[in-house]
Amino acid sequence: MSVQPRAGTSVSPRTRKRPDELRSHQWYGTDGLRSFSHRARTRQLGYLPEEHLGKPVIAILNTWSDINPCHVHLRDRAQAVKRGVWQAGGFPLEFPVSTLSETFQKPTPMLYRNLLAMETEELLRSYPVDGAVLLGGCDKSTPALLMGAASADLPAVFVPAGPMLPGHWRDEVLGSGTDMWKYWDDRRAGLIGDCEISELERGLARSPGHCMTMGTASTLTAAAEALGVTVPGASSIPAVDSGHDRMAAASGLRVVELVWQDLRLSELLTREAYEDAVATVLALGGSTNAVIHLIAMAGRSGVRLTLDDFDRIARTVPVLADLRPGGRYLMEDFHFAGGLPGLLSRLTDVLHLDRPTVAHPTLREQLDGALVHNPEVIRDRDRPLAEEGGVAVLRGNLCPDGAVIKHLAAEPRLLRHTGPAVVFDDYRTMQATIDDPGLGITEDSVLVLRNAGPLGGPGMPEYGMLPIPDHLLKQGVRDMVRISDARMSGTSYGACVLHIAPESYVGGPLALVRDGDPITLDVAARALRLEVDDAELERRRARWTAPPPRFERGYGALYQEQMTQADTGCDFRFLARPGAVPEPYAG
């Protein structure tokens, strides 16, 4: 259930701004030619002076698009945000920004996350904007919007797109992504046919909204709520629920007050907030993609978050949300079980409760009165889904800078495993040959995919859930150890080791693996080892040659030049580094 902020209350006792102290005053309020022009052009837009002069100007950054099913309803939600802004005495202006569609954008929207972050920052910096409402939700849009807004450092509220309705097929409830993988494997194994697949295709995605499992979208919007940049309860409201419209209006109402209070993102996005977001992701059994995104987001906030922080916090936080792909339920169940306020109310001993949020002076006050209504969906602390957080950080000679595994979603028998490598140099080759019996793949093999990382992918596509050969599927095998420098969808599952750093494309140890090399995965020991002696690895390294650049021009060339590795968040170097940016002169 959504906990709405108290309208009109301040987050803390602060000196309120005067109208002439608003940032937008530089554009509209001075006695000069430029201000005269700005006022005249605003009249050209059809607005009366009394509609905007002396009022907070609120940018509504909207990632709506006709080809983004996760965001196709955000055009309507922007209207609700405007309603809230008008009611609070602000002046809303809607800005269309890049849409990152996990469904359709190739090779991956991860290639363009930093582009949206840069667009967000520069729009907020260059226009007469006092605050912002950020509309997003599909995987990369949440971190991109918050990264850019953090760099611009204005008062801001994030409006999550919300999960779609549960899918249905015959008498089964479907989870987007998760059941797609499951039933596609059943089709490859000959267990279902074209008629069943056609029915599944019609029932898998029934409404606007992002994936309704605890995939990357739900993980990142929950992290945004945990960071304190949404109104309480916002992240789990189904996209088509009327409560979602009300939440959008409440966000517009709230951001105007934040502007008057001058409560900027830099005061909210602290180390304590990011540690609480990590704890939230782990307690949810959330997506491994959150590791990369939260590290990048923290970097924009001047906070150094590392893989070691994730592993440290994971050892202290149980998994309490019984959500797919690691559990049984879907996001609508989670919402009506109490949503994120309910979950966080069971984690108060590991959270930083005295930090502010956009809605309350402290997180402690925000969680006051939060309840859990279904202890099967949100477990009690003495009955967790797992004793430790669902993501583990691995180290070893195959991943000196780290790798991750969502061990909660893997078959337990594979969490300590040694097997011979079967190596694929690229994803297309793997697709074309994985079912070849001549490769000799058995259920004990370790499938290795390389050249799928940040630079090699390019963009680190979600290739990490490598398909199991069809002859093994027909034998009933549903999980194998799979290793790559790629990511995988948060809706995926299996013993998939991901984000190996440094990646093979830049000469990381993954580039040196050969067919038949023994590889050991030991999750309990947090280890991933290539069982080949150092002298042999050095001989192989001496013979390795760097591949040619992926891009010769355009945005891809900029990406190639500036991209960092997975363990540091895959941000652009020139955006991640500290440094002052001057305010534009508007006179």
Side-chain angles (χ1 to χ4, degrees):
M1 181 177 292
S2 173
V3 181
Q4 300 296 345
R6 300 186 299 274
T9 61
S10 62
V11 170
S12 59
R14 303 167 70 93
T15 303
R16 290 174 67 84
K17 279 188 169 184
R18 303 188 309 271
D20 63 352
E21 294 175 319
L22 293 170
R23 186 173 179 271
S24 57
H25 180 79
Q26 301 172 53
W27 276 261
Y28 287 119
T30 62
D31 184 18
L33 173 63
R34 294 297 179 189
S35 283
F36 166 76
S37 172
H38 298 151
R39 293 192 297 268
R41 293 297 188 173
T42 304
R43 286 177 181 261
Q44 181 187 6
L45 292 169
Y47 296 109
L48 296 168
E50 53 266 35
E51 291 185 82
H52 70 91
L53 290 180
K55 298 180 177 181
V57 177
I58 305 301
I60 302 170
L61 270 56
N62 195 348
T63 53
W64 169 88
S65 167
D66 272 334
I67 200 169
N68 192 335
C70 305
H71 296 178
V72 73
H73 59 303
L74 292 185
R75 174 179 275 179
D76 293 334
R77 295 300 174 270
Q79 299 308 307
V81 173
K82 289 178 184 179
R83 186 174 83 236
V85 172
W86 286 120
Q87 289 173 346
F91 180 60
L93 293 171
E94 187 176 355
F95 291 74
V97 292
S98 301
T99 191
L100 304 182
S101 172
E102 199 67 39
T103 307
F104 293 104
Q105 197 166 22
K106 306 301 179 189
T108 167
M110 185 64 177
L111 190 68
Y112 302 103
R113 184 199 68 182
N114 298 339
L115 183 63
L116 175 55
M118 185 161 52
E119 181 183 17
T120 297
E121 177 181 354
E122 298 307 323
L123 278 176
L124 296 180
R125 196 184 306 284
S126 59
Y127 279 95
V129 170
D130 299 300
V133 177
L134 315 169
L135 275 64
C138 189
D139 296 13
K140 314 305 176 293
S141 61
T142 299
L145 290 166
L146 288 172
M147 287 163 68
S151 294
D153 196 24
L154 296 177
V157 176
F158 182 75
V159 171
M164 70 177 88
L165 294 177
H168 282 276
W169 176 57
R170 298 181 180 177
D171 63 340
E172 291 191 35
V173 176
L174 302 176
S176 57
T178 302
D179 282 307
M180 177 184 73
W181 314 117
K182 174 182 179 293
Y183 284 110
W184 192 256
D185 279 352
D186 282 354
R187 183 177 186 267
R188 293 177 61 220
L191 300 178
I192 62 174
D194 291 344
C195 290
E196 290 86 353
I197 281 292
S198 179
E199 291 175 9
L200 285 159
E201 189 175 310
R202 293 194 296 271
L204 194 62
R206 296 174 49 236
S207 78
H210 58 65
C211 293
M212 76 306 251
T213 55
M214 187 45 68
T216 304
S218 292
T219 301
L220 268 295
T221 55
E225 184 175 336
L227 286 168
V229 296
T230 77
V231 298
S235 63
S236 63
I237 304 173
V240 296
D241 193 300
S242 63
H244 199 267
D245 224 34
R246 296 192 297 272
M247 176 271 293
S251 300
L253 194 74
R254 190 68 201 144
V255 74
V256 175
E257 178 66 15
L258 297 180
V259 170
W260 288 124
Q261 294 289 339
D262 198 26
L263 183 65
R264 298 171 181 249
L265 284 177
S266 56
E267 296 184 62
L268 302 174
L269 299 179
T270 60
R271 164 161 284 279
E272 291 77 17
Y274 281 107
E275 288 188 351
D276 288 353
V278 171
T280 299
V281 166
L282 293 166
L284 288 168
S287 168
T288 51
N289 287 308
V291 178
I292 291 174
H293 296 312
L294 282 172
I295 288 173
M297 291 160 65
R300 295 296 190 93
S301 302
V303 174
R304 186 173 181 270
L305 193 67
T306 69
L307 291 177
D308 291 336
D309 291 317
F310 277 85
D311 201 52
R312 169 179 56 82
I313 296 170
R315 295 174 187 271
T316 67
V317 176
V319 180
L320 299 182
D322 193 353
L323 298 172
R324 301 186 201 182
R328 296 174 292 168
Y329 295 100
L330 296 174
M331 286 303 296
E332 188 170 11
D333 304 309
F334 180 72
H335 178 65
F336 291 110
L340 202 70
L343 179 91
L344 296 183
S345 73
R346 295 193 163 171
L347 294 171
T348 53
D349 59 312
V350 301
L351 300 176
H352 301 86
L353 297 174
D354 294 321
R355 60 182 178 87
T357 72
V358 295
H360 290 87
T362 65
L363 179 61
R364 186 186 310 276
E365 292 178 58
Q366 183 159 307
L367 296 180
D368 184 32
L371 298 172
V372 173
H373 308 295
N374 187 337
E376 290 303 309
V377 179
I378 302 174
R379 299 284 191 94
D380 297 318
R381 286 291 289 269
D382 61 358
R383 199 171 58 90
L385 200 68
E387 294 290 344
E388 293 187 355
V391 174
V393 175
L394 307 175
R395 303 278 183 178
N397 67 348
L398 200 49
C399 54
D401 292 337
V404 300
I405 182 172
K406 188 174 181 177
H407 55 92
L408 182 69
E411 290 188 7
R413 65 181 178 84
L414 295 173
L415 299 182
R416 175 71 173 83
H417 179 81
T418 299
V422 179
V423 182
F424 301 95
D425 281 323
D426 62 82
Y427 189 71
R428 290 187 188 185
T429 300
M430 183 274 299
Q431 283 184 305
T433 62
I434 189 70
D435 294 325
D436 182 357
L439 295 178
I441 299 174
T442 73
E443 62 180 304
D444 293 324
S445 300
V446 175
L447 303 181
V448 175
L449 174 66
R450 53 189 174 208
N451 295 313
L455 292 169
M460 209 177 179
E462 294 183 338
Y463 293 163
M465 187 182 172
L466 278 67
I468 293 170
D470 57 12
H471 70 274
L472 292 179
L473 290 172
K474 291 172 182 176
Q475 296 172 26
V477 176
R478 286 296 184 270
D479 199 5
M480 296 175 64
V481 174
R482 289 158 277 181
I483 294 174
S484 73
D485 44 18
R487 299 176 300 110
M488 79 175 183
S489 167
T491 66
S492 302
Y493 50 86
C496 302
V497 178
L498 310 157
H499 310 181
I500 285 186
E503 65 177 305
S504 57
Y505 186 83
V506 299
L510 197 65
L512 310 179
V513 182
R514 293 182 179 175
D515 286 336
D517 287 348
I519 294 176
T520 296
L521 167 66
D522 188 341
V523 173
R526 299 298 198 262
L528 181 68
R529 296 189 305 275
L530 178 62
E531 307 290 3
V532 175
D533 66 66
D534 292 343
E536 172 59 20
L537 291 179
E538 283 305 316
R539 285 191 289 271
R540 295 181 189 181
R541 184 170 286 109
R543 292 193 289 270
W544 180 82
T545 57
R550 296 286 195 204
F551 300 96
E552 294 185 355
R553 59 163 303 282
Y555 172 75
L558 172 66
Y559 175 95
Q560 195 167 258
E561 176 187 301
Q562 292 292 327
M563 176 57 51
T564 63
Q565 289 290 295
D567 61 304
T568 54
C570 295
D571 201 358
F572 285 170
R573 291 182 181 87
F574 76 95
L575 294 176
R577 69 188 180 215
V581 178
E583 275 283 296
Y585 177 60

